[in-house]
């Protein structure tokens, strides 16, 4: 599976949009981009995933560049409860394993 | 939908005790479940992949006789840490993939809330 690169930490003001980048320049055509987050001392929470097209759900939006070498997770109106470590993972659909990096620690400030 | 329940949430026990952790998919059937371990300030490390009705597949360096996995039904997998020692103290997390009886390509994994194991 392709390797991903994320900034180690980010800050965001409450109520503003949080844009979390992820670089996956070696992604293959059959690999999906998944985003999870982990709030302290809890299990990871699935946020969103996509293959080629941009995706939106009730939690967030996922913007994937046309060349698929990077993506951005957007939390449109960040709240204090969005403070967590956010993981971007690239994985082939028929590969069951998720390989976890260190993610981005997002701090939402009042 | 896609809720995974893990029990217990916290265990404190003496060295030498065996500890069983349960992972249940509440509203979907999971032919495959995964067990992870996470040490403080580190990322999740996959321990094993649990397949319903067959033997689990362990990652390199994980002792299968130490960490017994049973996946007896489509909604339940258990991890037993046998003869636990202080170095086994960690945060153990399970996950299950997708929803429904058919595992579709690209389906995400959904996670339990984890079990914090402390061995004295």
């Amino acid at each position: 599976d392709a390797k991903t690169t994320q900034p180690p930490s980010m800050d965001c003001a409450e109520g503003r949009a949080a844009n979390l980048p992820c670089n996956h320049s070696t992604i293959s055509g059959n690999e999906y981009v998944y985003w999870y987050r982990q709030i302290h001392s809890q299990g990871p929470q699935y946020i969103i995933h996509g293959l080629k097209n941009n995706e939106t759900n009730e939690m967030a939006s996922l913007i994937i560049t046309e060349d698929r070498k990077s993506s951005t997770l957007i939390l449109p109106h960040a709240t204090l409860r969005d403070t967590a470590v956010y993981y971007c993972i690239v994985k082939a659909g028929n590969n069951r394993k998720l390989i976890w990096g260190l993610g981005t620690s997002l701090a939402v400030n009042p | 939908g896609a809720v995974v329940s893990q029990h217990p949430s916290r265990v404190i026990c003496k060295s030498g005790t065996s500890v069983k952790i349960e992972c249940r998919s509440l509203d979907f059937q999971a032919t495959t479940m995964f067990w992870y371990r996470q040490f403080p300030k580190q990322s999740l490390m996959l321990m094993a992949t649990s397949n319903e009705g067959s033997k689990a597949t362990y990652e390199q360096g994980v002792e299968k006789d130490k960490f017994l996995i049973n996946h007896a039904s489509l909604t339940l997998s258990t991890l037993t840490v046998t003869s636990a020692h202080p170095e086994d103290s960690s945060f153990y997390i399970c996950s299950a993939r997708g929803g429904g009886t058919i595992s579709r390509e690209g389906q995400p994994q959904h996670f339990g809330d984890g079990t914090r194991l402390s061995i004295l």
Side-chain angles (χ1 to χ4, degrees), chain A residues 24-46:
Chain A
H24 32 79
S25 59
T26 60
I27 192 170
S28 299
N30 65 340
E31 290 180 319
Y32 291 74
V33 180
Y34 297 83
W35 282 85
Y36 289 83
R37 71 181 183 185
Q38 187 176 23
I39 297 170
H40 183 62
S41 295
Q42 296 183 22
Q45 178 187 22
Y46 164 74

Side-chain angles (χ1 to χ4, degrees), chain A residues 30 32 34 36 38 40-46 49 87 91-102, chain B residues 32 34 36 38 41-44 46 49 51 59 91 93 97 105-114 116:
Chain A
N30 65 340
Y32 291 74
Y34 297 83
Y36 289 83
Q38 187 176 23
H40 183 62
S41 295
Q42 296 183 22
Q45 178 187 22
Y46 164 74
H49 77 287
Y87 296 94
K91 182 182 75 68
N94 58 358
N95 184 345
R96 298 177 297 179
K97 295 182 183 180
L98 291 174
I99 307 300
W100 300 76
L102 293 176
Chain B
T32 305
F34 305 85
Y36 296 83
Q38 186 176 33
K41 296 190 178 181
Q42 294 186 23
S43 193
L44 280 75
L46 180 66
T49 302
N51 301 293
E59 295 300 301
F91 191 49
I93 311 167
R97 182 184 173 194
E105 184 170 301
Q107 284 261 359
Q109 291 182 22
H110 297 276
F111 289 78
D113 281 337
R116 186 152 310 276

Side-chain angles (χ1 to χ4, degrees), chain A residues 51-101:
Chain A
L51 183 62
K52 295 179 182 178
N53 301 319
N54 298 336
E55 301 287 343
T56 296
N57 62 22
E58 65 278 5
M59 290 183 68
S61 294
L62 173 61
I63 308 299
I64 302 174
T65 57
E66 192 169 341
D67 63 9
R68 301 186 68 237
K69 292 186 177 182
S70 66
S71 61
T72 301
L73 178 74
I74 301 173
L75 306 178
H77 305 287
T79 69
L80 299 179
R81 285 183 288 184
D82 292 321
T83 293
V85 178
Y86 287 77
Y87 296 94
C88 167
I89 300 170
V90 171
K91 182 182 75 68
N94 58 358
N95 184 345
R96 298 177 297 179
K97 295 182 183 180
L98 291 174
I99 307 300
W100 300 76

Side-chain angles (χ1 to χ4, degrees), chain B residues 7-8 19 22 29 31 36-37 41 48 54 57 60 63 75 80-81 95 119:
Chain B
H7 179 80
V19 178
E22 292 188 349
Q29 294 180 322
T31 55
Y36 296 83
R37 181 167 53 182
K41 296 190 178 181
S54 63
T57 303
Q60 190 173 12
E63 300 175 56
T75 59
T80 301
V81 183
S95 73
I119 307 299

Side-chain angles (χ1 to χ4, degrees), chain B residues 20-40:
Chain B
K20 180 186 281 188
I21 303 169
E22 292 188 349
C23 180
R24 295 180 184 272
S25 56
L26 296 185
D27 52 358
F28 66 100
Q29 294 180 322
T31 55
T32 305
M33 291 185 174
F34 305 85
W35 288 96
Y36 296 83
R37 181 167 53 182
Q38 186 176 33
F39 291 106

